[in-house]
Amino acid sequence: MAQKATAIVKAKTTKAIATTISPDEALEEWLAEHRSPNTRAAYYRDLIDFCRTVFNAEPERALRRFFALDEVSAGVKITQFKQLLRERGLSPASINRKLSALRAFIDHARRRGIINWRISDLVKGEKQRTDPKERIRQHLPSLTVEGIAEALRKLMGTLPERGLKALRDKAIIALMALHGLRRVEVVRLSFSDLIDEPDGVLALRVWGKGDKFRVVKLVPETTGLLRRYLSALKRAKIEPEQDPLGIPVFVSVRKGKGKRLTTTQVNNIVNEAMTKVGIKRKGISCHSLRHSFGTLAATSVPIPDLAAYLGHTNIATTGLYAHAVGFANPSEAVLGILADNEVAKGQAVG
């Protein structure tokens, strides 16, 4: 039986702020601040989840009730939400993502004068039970630099390059495995993001997390693949269909010809390629290619440079790659000691 939710907060005397807009107007305004449709959709789902779980109502009614509460009562509601998410079996990362969305919206509501308290004063996030480096290891194709390199060589070396679809798929995988792009960053690429460098290679203007942009210079191999794909697309007379993001680089070549690929379609492309070369298993996905790139690059590239290339805001995140592999294996050390002891015994008898 679930325990009654309680929140331990310090009640503060806060000066009321003049309300400027209604809660549902604030929600619409806050969502509009985010450029990415995926971000808007994810935040809206998290807010809907909170409203339905805690108040059994849609946002318009639920948020009015929530924002009418005092600080301590609001804390109880948020703690109750967090407790129910735990009971659902959500991971700490998923719980923290939902709390983060709620925190960001509450901060916006406070700036607009609807409330005068903050979620950070009310409820702490979930503690991650798994070491961050261990989470990266779980998504790598191998626990050694040599093993990761061999997996990427196998992937890039085995995939065909004949035909429009094959060229498209290999170019997508090259951007993730050889340049560390996230799947959403690949999906968002438009023709206006392609930059011709003086030395003949391409660079990409990449739209990353948090609506941050960076420029990623490609190696000649990836440049060649991308140019061949675009030439094949033109020969096939498939016209990329302009959408709110621009004219897409990677499009469907069969059903829905010319439309921008979705993240789900990119997932399927990568999973199919991994399965073909025999490196697909539980935990290995699109993001494994980015993790593999970061882990291999961290062996020789300065962490600040790698952080900028990967689009990491926090350099500590990039630093995790430097420690994801190459750690001492205690079991091997023990076996070595036992073997040495056997050798020593044999020499003593002899």
Side-chain angles (χ1 to χ4, degrees), residues 134-260:
E134 187 57 39
R135 287 200 300 275
I136 289 176
R137 289 179 195 135
Q138 289 171 4
H139 297 288
L140 290 172
S142 173
L143 292 182
T144 67
V145 168
E146 295 77 16
I148 295 170
E150 179 56 32
L152 294 190
R153 270 195 297 270
K154 195 174 180 183
L155 186 62
M156 295 305 300
T158 307
L159 292 179
E161 295 182 17
R162 293 189 64 182
L164 175 56
K165 183 181 181 299
L167 283 167
R168 181 202 64 185
D169 294 355
K170 192 162 185 176
I172 286 171
I173 289 169
L175 289 176
M176 304 173 89
L178 305 182
H179 300 279
L181 266 66
R182 302 175 177 96
R183 64 175 180 171
V184 71
E185 293 171 344
V186 170
V187 167
R188 287 172 178 166
L189 285 174
S190 296
F191 273 81
S192 58
D193 297 319
L194 304 181
I195 305 165
D196 278 302
E197 291 288 293
D199 58 1
V201 301
L202 286 171
L204 305 178
R205 181 174 174 268
V206 178
W207 177 6
K209 287 176 73 173
D211 288 344
K212 292 182 176 67
F213 289 84
R214 68 188 188 278
V215 174
V216 170
K217 187 171 180 177
L218 304 184
V219 294
E221 291 79 2
T222 311
T223 295
L225 269 174
L226 195 50
R227 289 194 193 279
R228 288 174 62 196
Y229 156 66
L230 294 175
S231 296
L233 192 66
K234 192 173 182 180
R235 286 196 303 273
K237 296 182 180 178
I238 296 177
E239 197 71 33
E241 189 177 308
Q242 185 162 355
D243 57 27
L245 300 182
I247 300 173
V249 171
F250 294 109
V251 299
S252 178
V253 296
R254 291 175 181 168
K255 189 177 179 182
K257 275 185 184 180
K259 289 190 176 181
R260 187 183 297 271

Side-chain angles (χ1 to χ4, degrees), residues 9 23 91 176 208:
V9 296
S91 68
M176 304 173 89

Side-chain angles (χ1 to χ4, degrees), residues 235-340:
R235 286 196 303 273
K237 296 182 180 178
I238 296 177
E239 197 71 33
E241 189 177 308
Q242 185 162 355
D243 57 27
L245 300 182
I247 300 173
V249 171
F250 294 109
V251 299
S252 178
V253 296
R254 291 175 181 168
K255 189 177 179 182
K257 275 185 184 180
K259 289 190 176 181
R260 187 183 297 271
L261 289 180
T262 65
T263 52
T264 301
Q265 287 172 308
V266 171
N267 265 346
N268 293 338
I269 288 167
V270 174
N271 286 341
E272 183 182 334
M274 288 178 165
T275 302
K276 277 183 180 176
V277 300
I279 63 171
K280 177 66 181 168
R281 60 171 172 78
K282 186 178 179 181
I284 301 297
S285 64
C286 277
H287 213 63
S288 299
L289 297 179
R290 177 174 165 87
H291 284 326
S292 297
F293 170 81
T295 302
L296 293 180
T299 61
S300 58
V301 178
I303 295 300
D305 294 345
L306 182 56
Y309 194 89
L310 288 170
H312 284 157
T313 303
N314 186 351
I315 197 171
T317 303
T318 319
L320 295 173
Y321 289 125
H323 305 287
V325 294
F327 54 93
N329 187 332
S331 298
E332 290 179 357
V334 170
L335 284 173
I337 292 169
L338 294 177
D340 289 344

Side-chain angles (χ1 to χ4, degrees), residues 49-62:
D49 192 8
F50 172 72
C51 293
R52 290 176 179 170
T53 300
V54 177
F55 293 97
N56 195 28
E58 296 304 304
E60 186 174 354
R61 283 184 55 213

Side-chain angles (χ1 to χ4, degrees), residues 2-10 50 53-55 66 69-88 95 98-99 102-103 106 117-126:
Q3 293 181 343
K4 186 177 178 181
T6 57
I8 302 173
V9 296
K10 294 180 180 178
F50 172 72
T53 300
V54 177
F55 293 97
F66 180 54
L69 299 173
D70 59 36
E71 183 180 18
V72 173
S73 299
V76 170
K77 291 295 183 185
I78 298 167
T79 304
Q80 179 188 3
F81 180 52
K82 181 178 169 183
Q83 212 164 278
L84 290 169
L85 293 176
R86 281 185 195 141
E87 290 173 14
R88 268 195 231 162
I95 293 173
K98 288 179 180 290
L99 292 178
L102 192 55
R103 182 185 299 114
I106 287 172
W117 37 262
R118 303 174 189 269
I119 188 175
S120 54
D121 297 329
L122 306 176
V123 177
K124 298 298 180 187
E126 283 285 87

